[in-house]
Amino acid sequence: MLLVLTALLALSGSAFSIPLDNHERNLTAHIKNYLTVNSPSPGMYNNSVYCIVDLYQILSVEEKNNILNAKLWAYCYYVIHEMQWDPKDYGGISTLIFQKNTFWQPDVEVNSMTGHEYQSSTSQYVKYDGTVFPLATSLSAKLSCKFDVTDFPHDQHTCILQFRQWMSTADEYRMVFPRKTTDGKFEMLLEYYISHDQWDLIPPVVMEPGYATFKGNRFDQHNYKIRIRRSPDYFMRILVYPTLLIYAISALPFYLPFESGEKISLSITILLAQVVNLLVLSESIPASSVNFPVFGKYVLLNIIFVGFTVFVSVFTLNMYHKNNSCVPPGFLRKLLYTRFAWIFGTIELSDSSNAIKNVEKIKSDTENSNPKNDELLNKVVEVEKIICGPVIAHEKIKQEWQLIALVIDRSCGFVYIIVGIAVFFLYNPLQLSA
């Protein structure tokens, strides 16, 4: 408001004065011949009221409530050419100040607000060229917006600042916004706009003329489109980058040794970390089932994938510690042990029949040297087979289960990484194309 008053002072060419002397009394009487109190003046040029709106600052954005808090400067004026005077004829007076509500002011309202706070000027001004400034105000407005957070944290939103006639119709006066650019659009100049640290204003702020009808009456209704874009750096650092790092760490349980005993606990810890990320995201966006952010879907998929690692860890640990009396199914032994074990660098089964082979070797070595011991050696071999046979078989079964568990674990880890990379490029949480 102070800026508006300063501009008026600069335009006036002389200081404002309160009517006291004869020149001022005569000029006041002259002005009141053309100004009315309760209705538009008959001599108003083009029967039009000119309104100028400047966006001063975006105060805050309440995304969960779909509200944009902004500070605006607005003032209206109209022109009565018959009321013009020559300052030389009135002692150099070029501008007069009157108390508020001395003469008619247009009933222009902001129709798209959920709340507001006015700081109106306490005076009205009349200039020598017939321009009347009946209304100047500083407005802190809560604009109702519809936020689409699909591209969070790279989202853009459009809020409508709607000015309209409240009680007067378009037949009584027309509401006009005089600021027109070279391409014919009505725009805010944004000369005094103060930038916001989290939201960027996307120029231009264009006004679209229009009207509304009610019970056969027409009312001028003009909409300013205020487009804002989120500055993503904050959420990229506290939410997006940590989510990607946690997902990269979530592949480690597949390569953690079974003997460590930490595979399941590591997977559950990573799962809880992803759930916390989703909770942080839910605090920053509106509760909507229609416009759920793509990044939120990516976090949900990560939670599902990490849950998959918990399932695989339990499954392979159970297989790794399988009862030795349970022989692996033939399809597992054939599919995994013979075809895939070498791909992931798994170990080969050790030959557990070394004891019997050693006895056989002793027998073959001693047959020629001492034939009398053949019967004794044969008995030793038979006893060794009877004693060591079950132990050797159980050890071989155990190693087969361990190898199968290792191959399944490494195979799932490989698939997990490939699917994770594919999902990353599908949902593009870093907005690489942008």
Side-chain angles (χ1 to χ4, degrees):
M1 184 177 67
L2 293 176
L3 183 63
V4 174
L5 297 179
T6 304
L8 291 174
L9 282 169
L11 291 173
S12 65
S14 65
F16 293 165
S17 58
I18 299 177
L20 294 175
D21 57 18
N22 291 332
H23 289 300
E24 292 168 349
R25 282 194 291 270
N26 293 335
L27 184 56
T28 301
H30 168 73
I31 289 174
K32 289 186 176 181
N33 289 330
Y34 299 95
L35 294 178
T36 57
V37 177
N38 299 319
S39 61
S41 300
M44 194 164 56
Y45 177 70
N46 282 341
N47 198 34
S48 299
V49 173
Y50 302 91
C51 295
I52 294 178
V53 181
D54 284 325
L55 178 61
Y56 178 66
Q57 187 179 16
I58 294 176
L59 300 177
S60 63
V61 177
E62 302 176 22
E63 298 164 80
K64 296 183 71 67
N65 299 322
N66 292 323
I67 290 176
L68 169 67
N69 295 311
K71 186 173 183 180
L72 306 165
W73 283 339
Y75 61 94
C76 297
Y77 67 91
Y78 51 90
V79 179
I80 302 175
H81 289 302
E82 292 80 0
M83 194 176 59
Q84 296 177 1
W85 73 87
D86 188 350
K88 296 179 181 179
D89 298 335
Y90 293 92
I93 299 175
S94 60
T95 304
L96 284 181
I97 301 177
F98 296 89
Q99 294 295 327
K100 187 178 180 180
N101 299 324
T102 301
F103 44 85
W104 175 80
Q105 63 183 25
D107 53 343
V108 177
E109 296 287 340
V110 181
N111 198 38
S112 56
M113 296 189 303
T114 59
H116 62 274
E117 180 181 348
Y118 286 106
Q119 293 180 354
S120 301
S121 172
T122 58
S123 303
Q124 296 177 318
Y125 311 94
V126 180
K127 290 183 61 179
Y128 72 95
D129 59 359
T131 305
V132 182
F133 293 91
L135 176 64
T137 182
S138 174
L139 173 64
S140 296
K142 291 185 175 182
L143 303 179
S144 178
C145 306
K146 184 178 181 181
F147 287 90
D148 183 357
V149 293
T150 303
D151 296 326
F152 176 91
H154 302 271
D155 45 335
Q156 299 182 12
H157 310 286
T158 301
C159 297
I160 303 299
L161 177 63
Q162 185 181 93
F163 285 85
R164 62 163 295 172
Q165 294 171 302
W166 188 243
M167 295 297 293
S168 303
T169 65
D171 294 331
E172 298 179 48
Y173 72 90
R174 301 301 307 273
M175 188 171 60
V176 180
F177 289 82
R179 288 179 173 174
K180 184 180 292 188
T181 58
T182 54
D183 57 357
K185 294 181 179 179
F186 297 93
E187 299 179 7
M188 288 187 185
L189 296 184
L190 304 176
E191 294 182 39
Y192 310 103
Y193 175 73
I194 299 176
S195 61
H196 194 271
D197 57 349
Q198 188 177 347
W199 294 92
D200 299 327
L201 181 66
I202 305 176
V205 179
V206 180
M207 190 272 288
E208 295 181 351
Y211 64 91
T213 57
F214 180 72
K215 293 185 177 181
N217 296 317
R218 173 171 171 164
F219 301 85
D220 285 336
Q221 177 176 288
H222 305 319
N223 299 327
Y224 278 102
K225 286 189 175 181
I226 301 177
R227 297 181 301 160
I228 57 175
R229 176 176 54 234
R230 188 195 304 272
S231 180
D233 293 343
Y234 174 76
F235 286 101
M236 293 293 288
R237 291 167 183 166
I238 72 165
L239 193 59
V240 178
Y241 293 148
T243 299
L244 297 178
L245 179 61
I246 292 173
Y247 184 79
I249 295 174
S250 66
L252 296 181
F254 292 108
Y255 298 93
L256 196 66
F258 290 97
E259 295 81 3
S260 67
E262 299 294 334
K263 290 177 71 69
I264 295 179
S265 60
L266 178 59
S267 299
I268 292 177
T269 302
I270 296 173
L271 178 62
L272 293 177
Q274 291 286 31
V275 171
V276 170
N277 278 346
L278 187 60
L279 292 177
V280 173
L281 176 64
S282 66
E283 292 295 325
S284 305
I285 60 175
S288 173
S289 301
V290 179
N291 300 315
F292 193 74
V294 174
F295 178 73
K297 298 177 183 178
Y298 177 75
V299 175
L300 284 176
L301 281 178
N302 284 355
I303 293 176
I304 295 173
F305 292 160
V306 176
F308 171 75
T309 66
V310 177
F311 172 79
V312 172
S313 297
V314 173
F315 180 75
T316 54
L317 277 172
N318 178 69
M319 189 176 293
Y320 187 84
H321 298 287
K322 199 75 172 178
N323 190 350
N324 296 339
S325 62
C326 183
V327 180
F331 75 93
L332 285 178
R333 301 176 68 184
K334 181 179 179 181
L335 182 64
L336 297 176
Y337 172 56
T338 61
R339 296 185 181 182
F340 290 101
W342 63 273
I343 297 178
F344 303 102
T346 53
I347 60 174
E348 296 291 338
L349 286 177
S350 61
D351 193 349
S352 301
S353 59
N354 287 334
I356 296 179
K357 288 186 177 181
N358 290 335
V359 174
E360 295 285 355
K361 185 176 184 299
I362 294 174
K363 176 183 175 182
S364 63
D365 292 340
T366 57
E367 279 180 351
N368 297 330
S369 60
N370 192 359
K372 295 181 179 181
N373 294 329
D374 288 348
E375 183 178 354
L376 178 61
L377 290 173
N378 288 333
K379 291 182 179 180
V380 171
V381 171
E382 292 299 329
V383 171
E384 187 71 25
K385 288 182 178 180
I386 293 173
I387 296 175
C388 298
V391 176
I392 295 170
H394 288 178
E395 184 66 23
K396 185 176 181 180
I397 292 173
K398 179 180 179 181
Q399 289 186 4
E400 284 185 347
W401 277 117
Q402 289 178 351
L403 180 59
I404 291 172
L406 183 60
V407 171
I408 291 177
D409 202 44
R410 296 288 173 82
S411 302
C412 291
F414 179 76
V415 173
Y416 186 84
I417 294 174
I418 297 300
V419 172
I421 294 174
V423 170
F424 173 81
F425 285 104
L426 177 63
Y427 286 91
N428 193 16
L430 296 180
Q431 293 290 315
L432 298 178
S433 59

